[in-house]
């Protein structure tokens, strides 16, 4: 609850990887919605591997796996960063994150084909999580 009520901005991480990440967005309207914005602005698409999403033990214990996935993808107020990093910068990116004391997780891959796709154990999964709607 502390992370929700008193979020910590990832300013140091953003500054440390500014020259390594090819795109970035803060996640405040849900990962799926904000990732779609990033992809559209970049003119690319992506595949998110559902089993790679970092889900806390507290969330899983409270909501169960399916609801935890929905909350991770469509819930808002995460105050985290979602970034795309070229393969040749990944090691430097991971080191910069570690130097900042921030755990990062690779959740998928960027593709030329526009749109956002989801897989579970390599199998395509149809999901529709629009994210937070301000209006």
């Amino acid at each position: 609850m502390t992370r929700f009520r008193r979020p910590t901005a990832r300013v140091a991480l953003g500054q440390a990887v500014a020259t390594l990440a090819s795109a970035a967005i803060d996640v405040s309207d849900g990962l799926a919605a904000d990732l779609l914005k990033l992809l559209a602005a970049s003119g690319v698409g992506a595949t998110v591997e559902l089993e790679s999403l970092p889900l806390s033990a507290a969330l899983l214990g409270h909501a169960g796996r399916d609801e935890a996935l929905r909350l991770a993808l469509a819930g808002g107020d995460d105050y985290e960063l979602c970034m795309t990093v070229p393969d040749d910068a990944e090691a430097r990116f991971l080191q910069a994150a570690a130097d900042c004391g921030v755990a990062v997780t690779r959740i998928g891959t960027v593709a030329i084909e526009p749109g956002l796709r989801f897989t579970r154990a390599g199998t395509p999964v149809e999901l529709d999580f629009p994210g937070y709607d301000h209006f």
Side-chain angles (χ1 to χ4, degrees):
M1 191 58 110
T2 302
R3 288 189 61 188
F4 177 72
R5 291 192 175 151
R6 296 214 182 261
T8 301
R10 302 291 189 195
V11 175
L13 175 64
Q15 292 172 332
V17 301
T19 61
L20 301 173
S22 53
I25 191 167
D26 68 309
V27 178
S28 57
D29 292 339
L31 175 61
D34 288 327
L35 179 53
L36 273 169
K37 293 172 194 169
L38 180 146
L39 297 172
S42 299
V44 296
T47 299
V48 171
E49 302 158 358
L50 295 176
E51 64 274 8
S52 296
L53 291 175
L55 304 173
S56 70
L59 177 60
L60 288 167
H62 173 75
R65 182 130 188 100
D66 289 342
E67 181 64 4
L69 278 173
R70 188 191 69 73
L71 290 169
L73 290 168
D77 297 323
D78 293 315
Y79 306 106
E80 290 293 348
L81 298 175
C82 178
M83 301 179 195
T84 58
V85 179
D87 288 339
D88 63 355
E90 184 176 10
R92 290 177 288 150
F93 175 85
L94 292 172
Q95 185 60 57
D99 291 347
C100 290
V102 177
V104 295
T105 304
R106 182 181 183 154
I107 62 168
T109 56
V110 174
I112 293 172
E113 181 184 344
L116 181 56
R117 293 163 292 282
F118 301 97
T119 63
R120 181 177 282 128
T123 302
V125 176
E126 291 293 324
L127 297 176
D128 184 23
F129 296 130
Y132 183 77
D133 183 0
H134 293 271
F135 301 100

